[in-house]
Amino acid sequence: MEMKVKNLIEQFEDFQILAGEGGLNKTVSTVSIMDAPDIYNWMKGGEFLVTTGYIMKDNPLELKNLVIKLHEHGAAALGIKIGRFIEILPQEVKETGDKLNFPIIYVPRWYAFTDIINPVLSRIVNTQAKKLMMSEDIHKTFTQMVIQGKGTSDIMDILYKILGKDIAFIDLVFNRNYIRGTSHELKEDVEGTGLKNILDKYYSYPVQISNSIYGYLILKKSEESSLEDLDNITIEHASTVLKLNIQKEISNYQIEQKYRDEFIQDLIINNIRTVEEANNRAALYGWKIENGLVCLIVDIDNFKEKFMSLKNTQELENEKNKIFSLANSKMRRNFKQCFYTIYSDSIVFLVEQDIGSIEDFFERLEKVSEEIREEVKENSKFTVSIGIGTYQESIIDVYISFVEAQKAVRIGRTVYEEDKTHIYSNLGVYRMLYNLSLEDDAHSFCEEYLKKIIDYDIENNSEYMNTLRTIVKNDWNLKQTSEEMFIHYNTIKYRFSKICEIMNLDLNNREEKFKIEFCLKLMNMSSQYSLYMKTKI
């Protein structure tokens, strides 16, 4: 569509390329006549500059500097009437043109300047007019698609048809890829390599509004030529309608997600009484639940503490959204039916058993959970703890699995620390310990043993309670405790002695140690009591 240097040579049959053949695909935007040795200062880019060579007739080698300057200022080519004032183009000038891929064209001396200017400008103007008409047609085509409610897939079909080039759209909002064309390489790269590698390898056009990038249009790079203006115009029009379409999808998704969340939350809080009601509501979202369900919770470690300690919470919110998006993407890729809702700093999944035995299903749940934890650790500033409840045959009993998954996270953090996957049915005696931690007698028992040291820390602004926690965590090994806390061993020995004195206990006695360990576990498992103790500290 655009006029190239090679088209200009074709238009005038007796024009010949003297040097810079590698630049024949440069775009010609206008024609100019050389009337001063520093004409390059007035170049704006894309000019085909024509000269008789009169200014350089006494020293033709000056053409070398002219070629360099024209190239630097973006001119398209230089046409010179060889045989008028300059008989032969110096070899050094030819070599410069070849080195810079800057075309130097032989113009027969009998051509008047108007014989060159008028046809070239006429073709350029006609080309621009045709380009405008085609751009308008393309704009109307894409606008009509929006009016008709066509989706991203339809938009990509039309874009591929207009461009005639293999193209892909990577949708970052809904994690979908739309690939059009016959290139196996493009398909394999888009589906199998990371986004950074794709952006480095291909032409990429971000589909974005303000700082929000919805996705990228991807085209294969060509060694022969760059994209023409009309290609770029087409991509711009397509990008505009893709933005509108994605915004519409986001709006529809948010509305639907709100009602889906209400349904899932009703399930997990036992607010649905009959299987018929559950199935009817599931059908509204295209869900047909034929097998039992398991609840899996991905809970961000220490999120609330960091959230409360910072004034600017936007970065934390972005991290949370990134973690939830990663977890959701991983679960959807591995399970056919996987429904989710978000609870504060947790994302709750209800996963339907699809194939294999229940044992195989739980193995896969645990494997995917481990993959989620590793990816979060690699791509986020946080870690996550994951809890998995038991398998429930009936959809209206899935609330049991939800409660168990919550307990698995809390118990698992207390017993095994953070950044772990915990299956409720594997927690054994700790499940009973958790139920015990909720009783008032357990609170009284903890206060009886821990109140003295908590009150002492408050009155003296000391950290004996934290030291005690760390000692117990390290199985009462004072040397390991000193290393973990970066405190001298003798200081830890002194603190241990002081703790025994404050609590009036012999913590070298196995029975007394057990009581303290038991208290700390009970306190950590009971969120209500743990919060109470923290406020006192």
Side-chain angles (χ1 to χ4, degrees):
M1 176 62 73
E2 299 163 331
M3 186 170 187
K4 308 289 187 181
V5 174
K6 62 182 179 182
N7 303 134
L8 187 147
I9 295 175
E10 293 166 358
Q11 185 170 356
F12 300 94
E13 294 181 357
D14 40 7
F15 280 21
Q16 297 175 19
I17 183 75
L18 299 176
E21 193 168 354
L24 291 179
N25 280 316
K26 289 187 175 182
T27 300
V28 178
S29 59
T30 188
V31 184
S32 184
I33 306 302
M34 181 174 176
D35 60 354
D38 60 348
I39 184 67
Y40 47 79
N41 288 320
W42 285 266
M43 297 290 103
K44 296 182 179 179
E47 291 88 354
F48 172 47
L49 181 67
V50 184
T51 179
T52 62
Y54 178 78
I55 298 172
M56 280 89 171
K57 66 183 178 63
D58 295 329
N59 185 9
L61 280 177
E62 290 180 359
L63 285 168
K64 176 182 175 181
N65 183 59
L66 176 65
V67 167
I68 294 172
K69 292 295 184 181
L70 290 175
H71 172 72
E72 290 175 351
H73 287 75
L78 172 66
I80 183 167
K81 291 187 177 183
I82 297 295
R84 181 90 190 274
F85 298 104
I86 296 177
E87 290 298 326
I88 300 174
L89 186 68
Q91 183 62 28
E92 197 171 339
V93 178
K94 285 184 179 181
E95 291 173 356
T96 300
D98 288 333
K99 181 180 178 181
L100 298 176
N101 288 324
F102 183 83
I104 302 174
I105 299 170
Y106 163 76
V107 177
R109 60 185 180 180
W110 54 81
Y111 271 88
F113 287 143
T114 55
D115 293 337
I116 301 171
I117 294 172
N118 290 340
V120 173
L121 288 182
S122 177
R123 179 166 176 172
I124 290 172
V125 170
N126 290 337
T127 298
Q128 290 174 338
K130 188 175 180 181
K131 186 194 300 181
L132 288 173
M133 290 177 62
M134 293 184 69
S135 174
E136 183 66 22
D137 289 341
I138 292 167
H139 174 70
K140 287 180 180 178
T141 299
F142 281 121
T143 302
Q144 192 64 30
M145 294 189 74
V146 174
I147 294 171
Q148 293 173 354
K150 300 291 186 180
T152 302
S153 185
D154 299 305
I155 295 169
M156 290 300 295
D157 288 340
I158 293 296
L159 181 58
Y160 172 60
K161 183 178 178 181
I162 294 173
L163 288 177
K165 295 179 173 67
D166 292 344
I167 188 166
F169 175 57
I170 300 175
D171 182 348
L172 299 180
V173 178
F174 296 100
N175 296 311
R176 297 178 300 206
N177 298 324
Y178 301 85
I179 304 168
R180 298 294 182 271
T182 58
S183 172
H184 295 295
E185 181 184 12
L186 176 62
K187 185 175 189 298
E188 289 173 0
D189 284 342
V190 169
E191 294 181 346
T193 63
L195 181 60
K196 184 179 183 303
N197 293 332
I198 294 170
L199 299 183
D200 290 340
K201 185 174 180 179
Y202 296 90
Y203 289 124
S204 61
Y205 301 82
V207 177
Q208 72 179 96
I209 296 178
S210 299
N211 294 324
S212 299
I213 297 178
Y214 294 158
Y216 290 91
L217 282 164
I218 305 295
L219 279 85
K220 193 171 182 179
K221 291 181 179 179
S222 171
E223 296 180 359
E224 291 79 24
S225 63
S226 58
L227 292 175
E228 296 187 356
D229 282 350
L230 192 60
D231 292 336
N232 288 312
I233 290 170
T234 302
I235 291 168
E236 281 295 324
H237 288 317
S239 176
T240 299
V241 295
L242 282 171
K243 293 172 194 175
L244 294 172
N245 186 67
I246 291 175
Q247 285 183 315
K248 181 185 71 175
E249 286 192 62
I250 290 172
S251 178
N252 292 340
Y253 177 82
Q254 288 173 339
I255 294 170
E256 186 175 324
Q257 182 66 42
K258 175 186 174 184
Y259 291 105
R260 285 203 306 263
D261 281 347
E262 289 179 359
F263 170 51
I264 295 171
Q265 288 169 17
D266 280 347
L267 280 174
I268 62 181
I269 65 172
N270 195 23
N271 197 33
I272 296 178
R273 300 305 177 192
T274 66
V275 174
E276 289 75 20
E277 179 190 351
N279 288 334
N280 288 338
R281 289 180 65 178
L284 293 175
Y285 312 111
W287 300 343
K288 187 177 180 181
I289 303 171
E290 298 177 332
N291 299 309
L293 296 165
V294 169
C295 181
L296 182 149
I297 297 177
V298 178
D299 190 80
I300 304 174
D301 295 324
N302 298 318
F303 186 81
K304 287 187 177 69
E305 288 82 350
K306 291 189 178 182
F307 193 94
M308 298 299 293
S309 65
L310 295 179
K311 294 181 179 178
N312 182 5
T313 59
Q314 187 57 51
E315 184 179 353
L316 277 174
E317 282 295 317
N318 292 340
E319 283 290 310
K320 180 177 79 171
N321 293 335
K322 180 168 68 175
I323 290 170
F324 288 170
S325 176
L326 187 154
N328 186 34
S329 177
K330 176 70 72 173
M331 292 294 289
R332 289 175 65 183
R333 284 199 301 269
N334 284 276
F335 300 97
K336 289 181 180 179
Q337 292 230 81
C338 182
F339 323 116
Y340 75 93
T341 188
I342 291 172
Y343 260 47
S344 182
D345 53 352
S346 300
I347 181 167
V348 179
F349 294 97
L350 303 183
V351 190
E352 183 182 13
Q353 181 195 3
D354 42 15
I355 56 174
S357 65
I358 293 178
E359 290 77 14
D360 292 339
F361 179 52
F362 268 87
E363 282 184 15
R364 190 147 51 96
L365 281 170
E366 189 170 13
K367 177 177 179 293
V368 173
S369 297
E370 294 303 299
E371 291 173 1
I372 290 173
R373 287 197 311 100
E374 289 303 317
E375 285 197 30
V376 170
K377 195 184 301 184
E378 291 175 7
N379 297 286
S380 171
K381 299 176 182 178
F382 288 91
T383 59
V384 294
S385 293
I386 298 178
I388 302 173
T390 58
Y391 176 83
Q392 299 298 320
E393 190 72 41
S394 173
I395 185 173
I396 61 172
D397 291 333
V398 75
Y399 74 93
I400 298 172
S401 188
F402 168 67
V403 172
E404 292 169 342
Q406 284 184 310
K407 289 180 180 179
V409 170
R410 187 169 296 154
I411 296 171
R413 279 205 184 110
T414 302
V415 178
Y416 303 106
E417 300 183 354
E418 299 166 347
D419 190 23
K420 297 279 191 300
T421 298
H422 311 287
I423 299 176
Y424 180 74
S425 57
N426 293 345
L427 291 173
V429 70
Y430 291 110
R431 293 172 358 209
M432 183 179 66
L433 191 62
Y434 174 82
N435 292 329
L436 179 62
S437 73
L438 303 178
E439 300 293 332
D440 290 339
D441 286 345
H443 298 175
S444 300
F445 179 76
C446 290
E447 276 206 0
E448 179 183 343
Y449 281 91
L450 300 178
K451 187 175 185 301
K452 290 179 182 178
I453 194 167
I454 291 172
D455 290 343
Y456 187 91
D457 277 346
I458 294 172
E459 293 171 6
N460 297 277
N461 195 27
S462 55
E463 294 188 5
Y464 287 111
M465 184 64 180
N466 184 46
T467 303
L468 177 61
R469 287 176 186 272
T470 310
I471 290 172
V472 172
K473 174 186 169 186
N474 285 284
D475 197 24
W476 302 92
N477 188 311
L478 301 185
K479 188 173 187 305
Q480 288 181 13
T481 302
S482 70
E483 291 173 357
E484 181 173 326
M485 297 186 73
F486 300 101
I487 296 174
H488 195 277
Y489 176 64
N490 289 335
T491 304
I492 293 295
K493 284 177 65 178
Y494 169 77
R495 287 190 183 184
F496 179 70
S497 175
K498 187 69 176 177
I499 289 168
C500 293
E501 178 186 328
I502 294 169
M503 300 180 75
N504 194 25
L505 294 173
D506 178 10
L507 293 180
N508 290 308
N509 180 281
R510 181 63 250 176
E511 185 69 22
E512 301 292 357
K513 285 181 179 179
F514 173 75
K515 291 176 183 177
I516 296 302
E517 291 172 9
F518 191 67
C519 283
L520 289 174
K521 280 185 169 57
L522 286 175
M523 187 177 74
N524 290 337
M525 285 184 186
S526 173
S527 59
Q528 180 181 356
Y529 187 63
S530 180
L531 180 62
Y532 163 72
M533 296 297 264
K534 284 180 182 178
T535 55
K536 295 199 73 175
I537 294 174

